[in-house]
Amino acid sequence: MNKREQEKLQRERQEDLVLNKVLWWIVGAVILEFLILLLNRYYVHYTPAGIPLAQTLRTVFGVLQIVLPVCAIALAAWYVSLRKGGKPTRLAGILTLVGIVLAVCAVLVSRFGGSGIRLLYTGIPAVTVLALIYYLYQREFFVCAVLSAMGLLGVYVIPRAGISAVAAYGYAAVCAAAVAAVLVLARKLQTGQGVLEAGGKKLEVFPKNANYTMLYVTCAVVAAVLIATAVLGELALLYGVVVAWLLVMAVYYTVRLM
């Protein structure tokens, strides 16, 4: 087997691995979405005969909102310890991811009830799409997509300060910190041609041909939309601005893959 055939075989293996990960994400999203639909039926829109079950579910989720985050933290600590020890981390990584997802779902359902379930309706497909972007597209597109998704969620959450001021203002602070962090990181990576130096080690985060202009514009768009949301409230136009920019980026990065 010559070098070209070896490279082709290696590329095919990597493509198969990516395809398997994508399929697992899709299957997991479908199963979780189905469970959320069941929750909506028996936890929110229950019939008089289903009141005992609804009360039981509320008690169960009251416990799960504490137990599952603790389990997720424990799994994350296990994953970190295995990684530091140079041991296989695949199983620990999968269990940690599942634990985090279930913990977030339990907290949203327990704290916000029907509103939390409606948020999960769109949140689960959105996270799945972000995962597909991570595996199939350039890394900088993934960062831009995550920021844009945070902006879309901000348009929904921030105007609802009257319902939950802590959630609204807290999320606004998280978005501001994320935009600032991406700006600083992008500047460092642009100076280092995609390589980040930390602790004497070099980590290639972005390729040398990464387009940092798209990152800067994304930060500007998300910041402008969140400020407009804080001033004007929830407007369909603000959703449209972020979605339109996402479509522009999708076309641009798809062309770059060709």
Side-chain angles (χ1 to χ4, degrees):
M1 184 180 295
N2 56 37
K3 184 177 180 180
R4 180 175 296 180
E5 290 176 342
Q6 290 178 347
E7 291 177 351
K8 181 180 179 181
L9 182 60
Q10 181 67 22
R11 184 169 60 253
E12 289 177 351
R13 288 176 178 174
Q14 291 177 350
E15 290 174 352
D16 289 340
L17 181 61
V18 169
L19 179 60
N20 288 334
K21 290 180 179 179
V22 168
L23 290 177
W24 276 114
W25 270 97
I26 294 174
V27 170
V30 170
I31 293 174
L32 195 56
E33 194 78 11
F34 175 73
L35 294 176
I36 295 300
L37 287 173
L38 288 179
L39 270 180
N40 186 59
R41 169 66 179 81
Y42 295 105
Y43 188 89
V44 179
H45 300 291
Y46 50 84
T47 61
I51 291 177
L53 177 59
Q55 291 176 338
T56 301
L57 288 174
R58 293 179 190 279
T59 302
V60 169
F61 274 94
V63 176
L64 290 179
Q65 69 169 337
I66 299 173
V67 173
L68 288 179
V70 172
C71 291
I73 293 172
L75 289 169
W78 178 40
Y79 171 80
V80 171
S81 65
L82 290 177
R83 189 177 181 86
K84 288 182 177 180
K87 299 179 181 179
T89 59
R90 183 176 182 181
L91 177 60
I94 293 173
L95 292 177
T96 300
L97 180 60
V98 172
I100 292 173
V101 171
L102 293 179
V104 170
C105 292
V107 171
L108 287 177
V109 172
S110 179
R111 292 289 182 179
F112 302 103
S115 298
I117 290 176
R118 287 192 296 271
L119 183 60
L120 288 172
Y121 275 149
T122 55
I124 293 170
V127 171
T128 305
V129 170
L130 290 176
L132 300 185
I133 292 174
Y134 176 79
Y135 289 117
L136 301 177
Y137 283 86
Q138 300 87 343
R139 293 176 183 175
E140 60 267 30
F141 182 28
F142 172 71
V143 175
C144 292
V146 171
L147 275 181
S148 300
M150 292 180 68
L152 286 172
L153 183 57
V155 176
Y156 176 82
V157 172
I158 293 175
R160 288 165 172 75
I163 300 176
S164 178
V166 174
Y169 297 137
Y171 186 77
V174 169
C175 288
V179 170
V182 170
L183 285 173
V184 173
L185 181 61
R187 183 57 184 168
K188 288 185 177 181
L189 290 173
Q190 186 175 15
T191 303
Q193 295 185 337
V195 177
L196 184 65
E197 295 187 15
K201 297 182 180 180
K202 293 184 178 180
L203 177 64
E204 184 179 349
V205 181
F206 291 158
K208 293 183 179 180
N209 63 344
N211 189 336
Y212 293 93
T213 301
M214 301 296 282
L215 280 168
Y216 295 137
V217 174
T218 300
C219 289
V221 169
V222 172
V225 166
L226 292 178
I227 292 172
T229 301
V231 175
L232 303 175
E234 184 180 6
L235 297 176
L237 176 62
L238 299 177
Y239 289 109
V241 169
V242 181
V243 171
W245 177 241
L246 272 172
L247 292 176
V248 169
M249 289 191 295
V251 173
Y252 171 77
Y253 284 106
T254 300
V255 172
R256 286 192 63 184
L257 286 176
M258 299 178 180

